Amino acid sequence: MDSFSTQARYLFLLAGGGALAVAAMGAFAVLVFIPALCTVVLIHSLGPQDVHRPTFLFQMTWQTLCHLGLHYMEYYLQEAPSTRFCITLSSLMLLTQKITSLSLDIREGKVVAPSGRIPNKNSLSEHLRSALPYLSYLLFFPALLGGPLCSFQRFQARVEGSSSLWSRHSFWALTWRALQILGLESLKVIVSGVVGVGAGLGGCRQLQCVFVLWSTAGLFKLTYYSHWLLDDALLRAAGFGSELGRSPGEEGLLPDADIWTLETTHRIALFARKWNQSTARWLRRLVFQQRRTWPLLQTFLFSAWWHGLHPGQVFGFLCWAVMVEADYLIDAFASVFISSWPMRLLYRALAWAHTQLIIAYIMLAVEARSLSSLWLLWNSYSSVFPTVYCILLLLLAKRKHKCN
């Protein structure tokens, strides 16, 4: 690849991202362009060991202010936000992932970025050429509105590599994903019909609320699975999913949807690691591995902050953290005291059903967001499932303390 062709690819991806942002977000696209430009300036102005904290604080402050604007419209003005603004917030969340991932790579020496003072006029064109890969990475169109997190090393290697590396191997993979998406969308139509006929949380009675919980959460999960597969297919179709020609230190592309594991696991902790896998890996690297005290709780609290700090999100992610902690103790207890295979099989079946219902409860809390919808969920029979795990957590934690 000559230098001109490489620069042309970066420009093509950046121009496509700009056009897509304007088409999808309208004037709100400025809210995405500004932090991307500021991040590139910070990368070129600060040293490798100093770049992460300022970029992290700037991006999270910017994203939080935009989320507060959504809160103002929804809760104070009682107005429904525009679709374009919601798309902008979603894109800002993905931009936060890429910005923090890039800054961590620079700090850890995985990416060598030019740093120094703001360039003078004589070297401005040279600095613009060096900044192009970073700006293109933050705004490239295949991953602007969705998709698993793609590292800067992978992005750079694929842009500067040969396009023939992936074209011969992507057709069948994309065909299989298209069939999966078609199946999920067909199933979603059926489930949405069942959910639409039902009474909902406000009109359900006793155990009927459990069915409403399970079916509504099933509709949410099908929607997530379908979107994640579509995002992954688009990223791979653009050439960023191929493992051929992968450099030794390059991070592999992790698909967000592992449907089989998510639907068959009896462990809430495993579900948390497999749900939106690339985001889970990003949270583990950004928060969990950086904290010495209460890393699990801090990770879920940061996830609630990153999602927007709606009441349902704060409650849902805190509940999820408690359920994961309870899952660790329950599984450790079961592995010691349940030895016969019939009892172990019974335990796995009961744990699977309980895991699916707890996850459904958390999902409805996060999706409900408002206090009124959260109150309906609290007062339903579905609250029994997380309550059981909370009681077991207290009992097993007390027993563990005595044993120690």
Side-chain angles (χ1 to χ4, degrees):
M1 295 284 299
D2 56 21
S3 177
F4 176 79
S5 179
T6 302
Q7 297 296 322
R9 286 188 177 189
Y10 283 126
L11 284 171
F12 174 76
L13 290 166
L14 176 60
L20 179 61
V22 172
M25 308 169 201
F28 292 116
V30 176
L31 298 177
V32 177
F33 295 152
I34 290 175
L37 289 170
C38 291
T39 297
V40 174
V41 172
L42 288 173
I43 288 173
H44 282 71
S45 304
L46 301 173
Q49 298 302 317
D50 303 323
V51 71
H52 174 65
R53 185 180 293 273
T55 53
F56 170 81
L57 292 175
F58 173 80
Q59 178 60 23
M60 285 305 301
T61 302
W62 184 270
Q63 182 184 302
T64 302
L65 290 174
C66 293
H67 271 126
L68 288 177
L70 179 65
H71 284 240
Y72 178 75
M73 284 187 284
E74 285 187 337
Y75 302 125
Y76 184 76
L77 298 179
Q78 299 291 316
E79 295 178 356
S82 67
T83 304
R84 290 180 181 271
F85 186 53
C86 292
I87 293 173
T88 304
L89 288 177
S90 177
S91 184
L92 270 177
M93 292 169 67
L94 295 171
L95 183 64
T96 300
Q97 285 189 333
K98 287 187 281 189
I99 287 174
T100 53
S101 175
L102 176 58
S103 63
L104 282 173
D105 286 341
I106 294 173
R107 190 180 71 177
E108 295 170 4
K110 297 178 180 178
V111 173
V112 180
S115 59
R117 297 186 176 182
I118 303 297
N120 54 39
K121 293 182 180 180
N122 296 329
S123 60
L124 182 60
S125 60
E126 179 182 346
H127 280 266
L128 287 176
R129 282 196 297 270
S130 65
L132 180 59
Y134 304 102
L135 193 59
S136 181
Y137 168 69
L138 297 177
L139 297 174
F140 74 111
F141 68 89
L144 181 69
L145 303 181
L149 177 61
C150 176
S151 67
F152 179 77
Q153 303 101 296
R154 167 177 287 272
F155 171 79
Q156 190 175 38
R158 294 303 173 270
V159 172
E160 297 179 0
S162 173
S163 60
S164 62
L165 287 176
W166 62 270
S167 59
R168 298 189 299 271
H169 301 270
S170 62
F171 175 76
W172 292 113
L174 293 175
T175 302
W176 171 240
R177 279 173 174 76
L179 292 174
Q180 287 178 302
I181 294 170
L182 182 62
L184 288 170
E185 288 295 323
S186 301
L187 189 58
K188 193 170 75 172
V189 171
I190 299 173
V191 175
S192 61
V194 174
V195 173
V197 173
L201 282 176
C204 64
R205 294 291 181 271
Q206 298 178 354
L207 293 178
Q208 185 187 7
C209 295
V210 179
F211 176 76
V212 172
L213 173 80
W214 178 80
S215 58
T216 307
L219 181 60
F220 284 136
K221 286 199 287 187
L222 288 172
T223 303
Y224 277 113
Y225 294 159
S226 180
H227 286 182
W228 286 340
L229 286 173
L230 178 59
D231 294 338
D232 180 70
L234 291 174
L235 199 60
R236 292 180 184 277
F240 295 99
S242 174
E243 299 298 328
L244 298 175
R246 177 178 166 184
S247 58
E250 183 185 329
E251 192 178 67
L253 185 68
L254 191 65
D256 284 330
D258 186 354
I259 301 175
W260 174 257
T261 302
L262 291 171
E263 295 301 321
T264 58
T265 183
H266 67 287
R267 298 288 311 280
I268 296 178
L270 180 59
F271 192 100
R273 289 193 296 269
K274 293 296 183 180
W275 178 262
N276 199 352
Q277 288 186 96
S278 66
T279 297
R281 182 169 64 179
W282 169 69
L283 288 170
R284 181 178 182 85
R285 182 188 182 196
L286 181 68
V287 184
F288 188 84
Q289 295 177 345
Q290 308 294 329
R291 300 292 179 265
R292 295 183 178 180
T293 58
W294 302 95
L296 182 68
L297 180 61
Q298 290 192 59
T299 301
F300 279 96
L301 283 175
F302 175 79
S303 185
W305 178 22
W306 178 65
H307 278 84
L309 288 175
H310 291 272
Q313 292 171 341
V314 175
F315 170 77
F317 283 108
L318 283 176
C319 179
W320 202 346
V322 174
M323 295 299 103
V324 169
E325 194 65 38
D327 178 71
Y328 286 139
L329 294 177
I330 292 169
D331 187 73
F333 178 84
S335 62
V336 173
F337 291 95
I338 301 178
S339 55
S340 62
W341 71 266
M343 292 300 296
R344 185 167 291 277
L345 186 63
L346 177 61
Y347 160 72
R348 285 179 176 268
L350 292 175
W352 171 83
H354 211 103
T355 294
Q356 295 299 320
L357 289 170
I358 287 176
I359 292 299
Y361 185 89
I362 294 170
M363 193 169 295
L364 259 67
V366 171
E367 294 292 337
R369 304 203 303 185
S370 66
L371 285 174
S372 58
S373 300
L374 197 58
W375 183 251
L376 290 175
L377 186 62
W378 280 341
N379 288 324
S380 69
Y381 268 54
S382 303
S383 296
V384 171
F385 304 112
T387 303
V388 169
Y389 261 43
C390 287
I391 294 173
L392 290 175
L393 173 63
L394 294 175
L395 294 176
L396 293 175
K398 184 178 180 180
R399 180 183 178 278
K400 181 181 178 182
H401 179 71
K402 286 183 177 181
C403 292
N404 290 338

